[in-house]
Structures are given as structure tokens and as C-alpha cells.
């Protein structure tokens, strides 16, 4: 698990040069894409680091998409501007849940349950912090983006049911 608490600068004119400001300088999307290895799970505690930028050809590029393409299994990132002090309680609860063995999506859900939604400094917590993860199956990689909320499991069950209804699998008779 890598946790990057830094600043993010998105370049809509050239997303390849979007930057994370780290303690020893900038890390660009381009530099990240050139790396041979990436962490298995990443928390990008940087404003708007979860935003990908559309560019010519209807392609999107950003830190989350690049990490996922390079093999990161899950990323927690912010899609909005969040003041550092306002996110501290959520990040603390998130790491506590991860330390208990929760997957990223569940950990974020648990962390959100541990903050006061009535507190105005947490107004972003329901939609501003997102989890993206890949599911790896035989011959298939599926990318999911979830705004984790109290009804996440119910939404996923409903979606799975809709997919089964919309795309039934026909059984073939074995010879």
C-alpha cells in the first residue's frame, strides 16, 4: 500500500504532464507510465487526483487510469478539492479499516460511517472520494468505479441481477 499525501496539478491541455508534487519534486503521469512497477494498492490523498482528462480521440488519461493500466489493483483518490485538515479523520479511519484487513472499497465505506456527515467540513465525503479497482478473471479485466455509500452492496447485487437478466448465458449440451 502506497499513500501519497501531496498536491496534484491536472493539465487539461496535456494530461501526460499532470503532476503530483512530492517532497523531492514532481511526478508526472508520463513518468509514472514509464515505470516498470507500481504499488498494488494506492491512496492518492491529493486534490482532484482522481480526475482523468479527456483528450483527442475520446481517450482519457490521468493518475488513476495510468496506475490501473500499469497493474495497480485499487486506488482511492479525490475527485474534488479537499482541505488537508478536513480529510484527516477520513484518512485515519480508512487506514484503520485497511489495517483490519478490509479491501479498499469496504475500508472507505467503513471510514465514511465513522465521520459525522452533518459536519460541514465533511460535505465532500459521500461523492468526492472514490475507489477504482480492477477485477482480474481468466482472460478478462474489468474496471469498476464506485462511489461507495451505505447501499453499495445492494447496488452491486441489483446490477449483477440486471446483467444476468440482460445477458443470459445459454448452456451448451455436452456431446
Amino acid at each position: 500500500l502506497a499513500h501519497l499525501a501531496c498536491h496534484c496539478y491536472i493539465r487539461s491541455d496535456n494530461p501526460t504532464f499532470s503532476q503530483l508534487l512530492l517532497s523531492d519534486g514532481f511526478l508526472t503521469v508520463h513518468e509514472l507510465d514509464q515505470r516498470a512497477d507500481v504499488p498494488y494498492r494506492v491512496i492518492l490523498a491529493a486534490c482532484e487526483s482522481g480526475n482523468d482528462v479527456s483528450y483527442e480521440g475520446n481517450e482519457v488519461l490521468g493518475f488513476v487510469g495510468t496506475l490501473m493500466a500499469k497493474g495497480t489493483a485499487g486506488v482511492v483518490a479525490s475527485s474534488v478539492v479537499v482541505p488537508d485538515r478536513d480529510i484527516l479523520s477520513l484518512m485515519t479511519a480508512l487506514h484503520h479499516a485497511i489495517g483490519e484487513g478490509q479491501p479498499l472499497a469496504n475500508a472507505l465505506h467503513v471510514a465514511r460511517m465513522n465521520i459525522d456527515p452533518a459536519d460541514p467540513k465533511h460535505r465532500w465525503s459521500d461523492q468526492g472520494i472514490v475507489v477504482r479497482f480492477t477485477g482480474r478473471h481468466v482472460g478478462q479485466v474489468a474496471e469498476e468505479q464506485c462511489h461507495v455509500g451505505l447501499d453499495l452492496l445492494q447496488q452491486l447485487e441489483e446490477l449483477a441481477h440486471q446483467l444476468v437478466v440482460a445477458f443470459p448465458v445459454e448452456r451448451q449440451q455436452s456431446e
Side-chain angles (χ1 to χ4, degrees):
L1 174 68
H3 182 121
L4 301 176
C6 54
H7 294 284
C8 181
Y9 302 97
I10 300 293
R11 293 266 314 261
S12 58
D13 63 323
N14 191 343
T16 301
F17 295 106
S18 293
Q19 305 169 331
L20 293 175
L21 176 57
L22 306 176
S23 63
D24 61 348
F26 289 104
L27 172 66
T28 66
V29 168
H30 174 72
E31 292 168 330
L32 185 60
D33 189 45
Q34 299 303 308
R35 292 190 53 88
D37 59 344
V38 292
Y40 181 70
R41 296 187 302 178
V42 177
I43 297 173
L44 289 176
C47 295
E48 299 180 323
S49 60
N51 296 337
D52 288 334
V53 176
S54 294
Y55 64 97
E56 194 172 321
N58 290 329
E59 297 290 333
V60 293
L61 185 62
F63 286 102
V64 174
T66 301
L67 284 164
M68 303 300 278
K70 297 294 289 181
T72 296
V75 180
V76 174
S78 174
S79 60
V80 296
V81 175
V82 180
D84 294 343
R85 290 185 183 181
D86 291 356
I87 200 167
L88 183 61
S89 60
L90 180 73
M91 288 293 128
T92 301
L94 177 66
H95 277 282
H96 182 52
I98 291 169
E100 292 178 345
Q102 295 284 338
L104 287 179
N106 292 357
L108 182 57
H109 175 72
V110 169
R112 284 186 174 144
M113 290 177 19
N114 287 318
I115 62 172
D116 180 7
D119 187 337
K121 68 181 178 184
H122 295 142
R123 66 190 176 283
W124 45 263
S125 67
D126 285 340
Q127 297 175 359
I129 309 298
V130 297
V131 176
R132 286 184 63 187
F133 57 93
T134 58
R136 300 193 184 281
H137 304 287
V138 178
Q140 172 187 5
V141 176
E143 184 175 322
E144 306 269 342
Q145 180 171 351
C146 298
H147 293 276
V148 181
L150 294 176
D151 56 351
L152 172 64
L153 294 176
Q154 180 182 3
Q155 290 173 5
L156 289 175
E157 287 175 358
E158 289 172 9
L159 177 61
H161 177 71
Q162 291 170 3
L163 288 173
V164 168
V165 170
F167 302 101
V169 176
E170 293 182 19
R171 295 182 186 252
Q172 296 179 353
Q173 297 289 336
S174 57
E175 298 181 49

